[in-house]
């Protein structure tokens, strides 16, 4: 397993050999190189490229990119970057001594330069000689060189102190105080106006959500006895904005009726608006900003009725700025995926993207003075950390924890409310001829992408910490045999003969590789301008063709069909596909998917107009075609247990097939990735227990 950041590994670590302190000296040499040149010694877009460079390539001399560097510093860096650890510098104290000598020599040269210049000022007769010599001295010892040497000395001293068991720097780290101690899910949390009282809604032990309050000085939370309700905002005057009867319509998206309710109690909630996802108060507590569903679109309105932003995808965590002139939110381009960017919009509806490239992004709040926006996200894996970004786009890391963080609120004195999640995904399934489900989970975030026609092999990927920053694709027998690693990337489709898999490797724009599940050579499947989305959005039509979901630059998502032998992909649907989940009929005639209006359609693969599937409402998902292609398997997305029905396409008649649910449903609000074998006797599915704890975080800078 690759432990640590690959770009800073030593050759012996890359080869999996025994390590000693000299491996850290190589890594330190990489840091020195980067500080001195402004670039990494071994850059690369993929892990494989970086590993190859570490093992086989020599970086360009540091002085070739920064001519102002002293040659002696180049020697120090080169000795640290020796690939043979026997030829490498052997101790940190040697590096420290070399840098001390270098700094001494530079200081001595600088002193000589100053003395010479002073003599020139005092003696007119020597002025011409000294002025002529000054450029040479300046070239030899520039202020930048001295600054670099000084910084390197400080870092070297810190590293030497670490090796000696000393703590040179003692940064003040944020303090995490646990607030909740029950088994379940925190839906939302906010500070009351006093900055001390915490108001949160939680679904404990699988029950309906309820509103609670808590104080820092007590481990006990007090219920407000307001059930089936989610708090989404607290005004400066102590009035709650809540969602009544919230229901899950997509991952991380609840929909309910917005209502106002005094925090102090008394009276029933006053309903304001239906089909609301989230809300926030203006700074003076007189107006509400809402994020609501309007047909196929999600709209951001502030005040209510004035649309500032709308999308056919989804947004989350909209918050009004401390001055009330801007709204910040997280913009997610793909429905059902939390990848996204941080965006601000002003009162005229002008938007600005200020932070992007986040593969998991949840939770946002303004810094009290409005100078920065806090958010929690990650650009690799799933472990979200707390970051801050200015309106000009300058990002900084604020805090990390041992788990997955989601920001909920910031108090007027800068304290943070965040939840720490046990962010895992588990896979269960029924193998052929099985009588009970088996646990098919592999690492920490196991998501099935395809199931063989006979139900014997499942294609899945790991996209959590275990899967690494790029994700890892696997195949596994549903009898529980060990998984077989196929390579980096996210898996998509399994061929009818189970010999090949379509993998989306870690690159941008996304493309596909065809990878053997056994013996054979992998090859590129696509190489075009289409962004081929990852995560189970391709399916084989037959042994020669596959369907995938993607988009061209500046265009919406579409279904395409393409030959595995190459050639141009052909669009078979209009733009604006609204969900990544789809299925292909066994006879290769149709794709069933969700349109931009969130209705279910049949898209002909060989040409023709799509037709709507009547009888499937917005809260339902079409899983797959029945074995005879005459019907669809459908279920309600947010219902648990998930009741699955066979729906006849011609008549709309439904017959119950079976119910699916994990043994422990605490923190589980839906099932996903349900795939049924063609003979309808086997299946797999995934579920993610969202078990969270609320934390009060102090000392955030």
């Amino acid at each position: 397993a690759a432990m640590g950041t690959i770009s800073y590994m030593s050759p012996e670590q890359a080869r999996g050999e025994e390590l000693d302190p000299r491996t850290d000296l190589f890594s330190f040499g990489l840091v020195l190189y980067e500080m001195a040149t402004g670039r990494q010694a071994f850059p690369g877009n993929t892990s494989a490229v970086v590993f190859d460079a570490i093992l086989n390539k020599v970086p360009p001399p540091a002085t070739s990119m920064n001519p102002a560097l002293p040659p002696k510093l180049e020697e120090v860096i080169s000795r640290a970057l020796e690939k043979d650890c026997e030829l490498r510098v052997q101790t940190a104290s040697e590096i420290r001594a070399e840098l001390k000598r270098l700094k001494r020599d530079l200081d001595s040269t600088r002193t000589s330069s100053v003395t010479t210049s002073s003599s020139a000022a005092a003696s007119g007769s020597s002025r011409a000689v000294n002025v002529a010599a000054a450029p040479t001295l300046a070239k030899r010892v520039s202020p930048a060189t001295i600054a670099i040497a000084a910084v390197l000395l400080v870092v070297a001293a810190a590293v030497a102190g670490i090796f000696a068991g000393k703590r040179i720097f003692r940064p003040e780290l944020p303090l995490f105080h646990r607030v909740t101690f029950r088994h379940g899910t925190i839906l939302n949390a906010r500070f009351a106006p006093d900055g001390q009282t915490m108001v949160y809604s939680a679904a404990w032990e699988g029950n309906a959500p309820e509103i609670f309050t808590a104080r820092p000085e007590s481990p006990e939370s007090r219920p407000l006895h307001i059930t089936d309700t989610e708090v989404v905002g607290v005004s400066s005057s102590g009035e709650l904005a809540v969602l009544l009867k919230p229901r899950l319509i997509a991952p991380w998206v609840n929909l309910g009726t917005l209502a106002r309710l005094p925090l102090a109690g008394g009276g029933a909630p006053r309903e304001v608006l239906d089909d609301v996802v989230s809300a926030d108060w203006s700074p003076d507590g007189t107006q509400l900003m809402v994020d609501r569903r309007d047909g196929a679109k999600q709209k951001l309105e502030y005040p209510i009725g004035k649309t500032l932003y709308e999308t056919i995808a989804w947004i989350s965590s909209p918050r009004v700025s401390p001055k009330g002139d801007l709204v910040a939110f997280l913009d997610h381009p793909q429905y059902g995926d939390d990848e996204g960017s941080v965006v601000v919009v002003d009162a005229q509806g002008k938007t600005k993207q200020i932070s992007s490239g986040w593969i998991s992004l949840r939770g946002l709040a303004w810094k009290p003075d409005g100078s920065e926006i806090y958010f929690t996200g990650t650009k690799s894996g799933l472990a979200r950390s707390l970051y801050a970004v200015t309106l000009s786009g300058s990002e900084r890391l604020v805090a990390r924890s041992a788990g997955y963080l989601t920001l909920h609120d910031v108090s007027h004195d800068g304290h943070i409310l965040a939840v720490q999640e046990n962010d895992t995904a588990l896979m269960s399934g029924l193998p052929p001829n099985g009588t009970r489900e088996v646990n098919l989970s592999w690492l920490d975030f196991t998501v099935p992408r395809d199931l063989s026609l006979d139900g014997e092999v499942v294609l899945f990927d790991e996209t959590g910490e275990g899967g690494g920053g790029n994700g890892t694709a696997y195949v596994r027998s549903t009898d529980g045999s060990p998984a077989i690693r196929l390579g980096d990337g996210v898996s998509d489709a399994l061929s009818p003969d189970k010999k090949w898999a379509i993998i989306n490797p870690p690159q941008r724009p996304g493309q596909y590789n065809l990878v053997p599940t056994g013996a054979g050579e992998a090859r590129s499947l696509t190489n075009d301008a289409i962004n081929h989305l990852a995560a189970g959005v391709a399916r084989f039509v037959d042994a020669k063709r596959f369907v995938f979901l993607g988009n061209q630059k500046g265009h919406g998502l579409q279904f395409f069909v393409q030959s595995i032998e190459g050639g141009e992909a052909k669009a078979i649907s209009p733009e604006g596909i609204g969900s990544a989940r789809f299925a292909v009929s066994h006879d290769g005639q149709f794709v069933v998917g969700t349109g931009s209006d969130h209705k279910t359609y049949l898209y002909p693969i060989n040409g023709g107009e799509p037709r709507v599937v009547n009888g499937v409402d917005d809260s339902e998902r079409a899983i797959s075609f029945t074995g005879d292609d005459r019907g669809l398997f459908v279920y309600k997305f947010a219902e648990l247990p998930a009741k699955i029905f066979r729906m006849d396409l011609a008549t709309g008649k439904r017959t119950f097939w079976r119910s699916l649910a994990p043994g422990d449903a605490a923190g589980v609000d839906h099932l996903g990735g349900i795939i049924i074998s063609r003979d309808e006797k086997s299946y797999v599915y995934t579920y993610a227990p969202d078990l969270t704890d609320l934390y009060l975080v102090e000392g955030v800078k």
Side-chain angles (χ1 to χ4, degrees):
M3 304 295 292
T5 306
I6 292 174
S7 298
Y8 300 94
M9 283 186 178
S10 66
E12 56 268 27
Q13 187 175 4
R15 288 190 294 264
E17 298 174 351
E18 290 293 327
L19 305 180
D20 60 35
R22 292 175 294 183
T23 195
D24 294 327
L25 300 179
F26 187 91
S27 300
F28 182 54
L30 293 172
V31 174
L32 292 181
Y33 185 94
E34 188 170 346
M35 292 177 69
T37 65
R39 68 185 294 275
Q40 289 184 333
F42 302 114
N45 294 327
T46 68
S47 302
V49 172
V50 176
F51 273 128
D52 178 67
I54 292 172
L55 292 171
N56 303 309
K57 296 182 180 179
V58 176
T63 51
S64 68
M65 283 168 286
N66 186 354
L69 292 176
K72 187 63 178 178
L73 181 58
E74 173 72 52
E75 292 180 20
V76 173
I77 295 173
S78 297
R79 289 184 64 204
L81 293 183
E82 281 283 357
K83 296 187 186 298
D84 186 343
C85 60
E86 295 297 332
L87 302 178
R88 192 178 306 155
V89 62
Q90 299 295 296
T91 66
S93 60
E94 292 179 49
I95 296 181
R96 179 176 56 184
E98 291 290 345
L99 290 175
K100 278 186 174 183
R101 279 192 288 270
L102 175 58
K103 183 176 184 297
R104 179 196 63 194
D105 294 343
L106 288 170
D107 288 344
S108 175
T109 305
R110 180 178 58 181
T111 302
S112 299
S113 175
V114 172
T115 303
T116 303
S117 299
S118 300
S119 299
S123 174
S125 60
S126 62
R127 185 184 304 251
V129 175
N130 291 326
V131 169
T136 303
L137 288 170
K139 184 175 181 180
R140 287 173 56 199
V141 188
S142 67
T145 301
I146 296 170
I148 290 172
V151 171
L152 293 179
L153 178 63
V154 171
V155 177
V159 170
I162 291 171
F163 274 100
K166 301 175 183 177
R167 296 179 60 186
I168 303 300
F169 298 113
R170 300 179 183 271
E172 293 184 10
L173 300 177
L175 299 177
F176 286 72
H177 303 282
R178 189 171 174 180
V179 176
T180 60
F181 300 87
R182 295 177 65 179
H183 192 59
T185 305
I186 307 290
L187 277 70
N188 229 325
R190 293 290 185 270
F191 282 105
D194 63 7
Q196 295 293 310
T197 302
M198 295 160 279
V199 185
Y200 67 91
S201 45
W204 297 130
E205 287 81 40
N207 296 318
E210 186 176 356
I211 298 179
F212 300 83
T213 62
R215 296 278 301 176
E217 64 270 13
S218 172
E220 301 291 339
S221 293
R222 181 174 67 89
L224 297 186
H225 303 293
I226 305 171
T227 58
D228 206 8
T229 304
E230 178 184 354
V231 61
V232 291
V234 182
S235 75
S236 56
S237 61
E239 188 174 10
L240 301 180
V242 299
L243 294 184
L244 305 178
K245 300 185 182 303
R247 65 187 189 280
L248 190 72
I249 62 169
W252 313 294
V253 181
N254 278 338
L255 200 66
T257 298
L258 179 65
R260 300 170 64 158
L261 182 69
L263 175 58
R270 180 164 68 88
E271 296 184 3
V272 176
L273 188 66
D274 290 329
D275 297 329
V276 173
V277 176
S278 185
D280 194 24
W281 293 92
S282 61
D284 61 6
T286 61
Q287 293 182 321
L288 280 164
M289 175 274 298
V290 297
D291 162 23
R292 68 183 187 90
R293 297 294 304 185
D294 183 9
K297 295 182 178 180
Q298 193 165 339
K299 291 185 175 182
L300 187 64
E301 299 179 359
Y302 180 54
I304 295 176
K306 181 182 178 181
T307 301
L308 300 182
Y309 184 79
E310 61 182 40
T311 178
I312 61 172
W314 68 293
I315 63 175
S316 65
S317 305
R319 301 297 294 271
V320 180
S321 67
K323 294 182 180 179
D325 57 337
L326 298 171
V327 176
F329 60 94
L330 305 179
D331 194 20
H332 308 280
Q334 177 60 45
Y335 206 65
D337 192 321
D338 64 345
E339 177 180 359
S341 55
V342 182
V343 177
V344 292
V345 60
D346 63 17
Q348 287 70 48
K350 183 180 179 181
T351 60
K352 179 182 180 182
Q353 185 183 94
I354 59 174
S355 183
S356 60
W358 303 94
I359 67 169
S360 179
L361 192 61
R362 300 186 219 164
L364 175 150
W366 288 84
K367 192 174 181 179
D369 62 5
S371 62
E372 290 182 306
I373 298 166
Y374 290 129
F375 63 94
T376 37
T378 180
K379 294 186 177 181
S380 65
L382 291 176
R384 293 180 300 276
S385 299
L386 180 63
Y387 290 85
V389 62
T390 65
L391 294 177
S392 62
S394 177
E395 298 173 0
R396 66 183 179 93
L397 174 66
V398 178
R400 295 189 192 274
S401 78
Y404 305 79
L405 286 179
T406 299
L407 173 66
H408 282 257
D409 201 14
V410 180
S411 70
H412 55 72
D413 57 2
H415 292 168
I416 297 284
L417 266 184
V419 299
Q420 185 162 284
E421 305 176 21
N422 178 22
D423 211 349
T424 59
L426 307 174
M427 179 169 63
S428 288
L430 183 69
N433 303 316
T435 57
R436 59 187 181 88
E437 290 184 1
V438 295
N439 182 1
L440 296 171
S441 308
W442 189 240
L443 301 178
D444 63 331
F445 212 86
T446 308
V447 179
R449 302 301 184 185
D450 205 357
L451 182 67
S452 62
L453 297 176
D454 57 13
E456 292 183 351
V457 176
V458 59
L459 175 71
F460 68 94
D461 51 55
E462 293 284 350
T463 52
E465 292 303 292
N470 297 321
T472 309
Y474 294 87
V475 289
R476 186 179 192 183
S477 172
T478 53
D479 65 6
S481 301
I484 300 172
R485 187 183 190 277
L486 300 182
D488 288 351
V490 180
S491 56
D492 284 275
L494 189 65
S495 65
D497 61 7
K498 300 181 283 189
K499 293 182 178 180
W500 298 91
I502 296 176
I503 305 296
N504 192 303
Q507 64 187 67
R508 289 289 185 269
Q511 299 293 325
Y512 290 137
N513 287 345
L514 192 63
V515 179
T517 60
E521 293 292 328
R523 64 179 176 87
S524 296
L525 196 56
T526 61
N527 184 21
D528 51 35
I530 299 174
N531 179 31
H532 301 73
L533 300 188
V537 288
R539 285 289 182 270
F540 278 92
V541 175
D542 48 42
K544 297 295 184 181
R545 296 179 300 163
F546 66 100
V547 169
F548 66 89
L549 184 63
N551 70 291
Q552 302 184 66
K553 188 174 182 179
H555 294 269
L557 294 175
Q558 292 177 274
F559 288 121
F560 296 84
V561 63
Q562 185 169 338
S563 168
I564 64 170
E565 300 302 327
E568 186 175 350
K570 178 184 177 182
I572 60 172
S573 78
E575 293 182 25
I577 298 300
S579 173
R581 302 303 302 179
F582 69 93
V584 175
S585 61
H586 302 294
D587 62 9
Q589 297 298 309
F590 295 98
V591 174
V592 60
T594 305
S596 60
D597 56 3
H598 294 279
K599 294 181 180 179
T600 300
Y601 286 86
L602 293 179
Y603 299 96
I605 293 175
N606 299 314
E609 292 297 316
R611 62 185 177 93
V612 68
V613 178
N614 294 314
V616 182
D617 63 38
D618 287 352
S619 66
E620 293 184 311
R621 299 287 188 273
I623 300 169
S624 63
F625 287 85
T626 56
D628 57 10
D629 286 331
R630 295 179 180 177
L632 296 173
F633 285 107
V634 298
Y635 80 114
K636 285 189 179 294
F637 172 74
E639 189 175 62
L640 201 68
K643 299 181 179 66
I644 300 176
F645 294 86
R646 302 175 89 255
M647 189 189 79
D648 188 278
L649 284 169
T651 65
K653 181 181 177 180
R654 297 187 177 207
T655 55
F656 177 73
W657 185 62
R658 68 171 67 218
S659 291
L660 301 179
D664 182 0
V668 180
D669 54 18
H670 72 282
L671 302 186
I674 303 174
I675 311 172
I676 301 170
S677 64
R678 185 168 186 174
D679 63 8
E680 303 179 9
K681 295 180 179 179
S682 303
Y683 59 83
V684 292
Y685 65 86
T686 187
Y687 60 98
D690 190 13
L691 303 177
T692 58
D693 298 304
L694 183 62
Y695 281 82
L696 173 65
V697 188
E698 298 178 325
V700 173
K701 302 296 185 183

